[in-house]
Amino acid sequence: MLDPYTSGELVRDYLMRALYGTFSNVKRIEPVAYANLAFD
């Protein structure tokens, strides 16, 4: 519920947390299947 114009950095921070959290969970839940998974 944040305004992207006045709270742009905060919105970006929330999105980055979601991205890195999901990435971490995928690698932790199935480490063998996603052992070589990396960000481009």
Side-chain angles (χ1 to χ4, degrees):
M1 301 301 147
L2 297 171
D3 181 23
Y5 297 106
T6 60
S7 304
E9 290 183 20
L10 189 57
V11 170
R12 181 203 61 208
D13 292 345
Y14 279 122
L15 291 173
M16 292 302 287
R17 274 191 216 159
L19 179 67
Y20 283 108
T22 302
F23 185 78
S24 175
N25 286 336
V26 166
K27 288 190 70 110
R28 187 176 34 196
I29 291 171
E30 294 192 36
V32 176
Y34 298 106
N36 296 324
L37 186 65
F39 284 115
D40 287 335

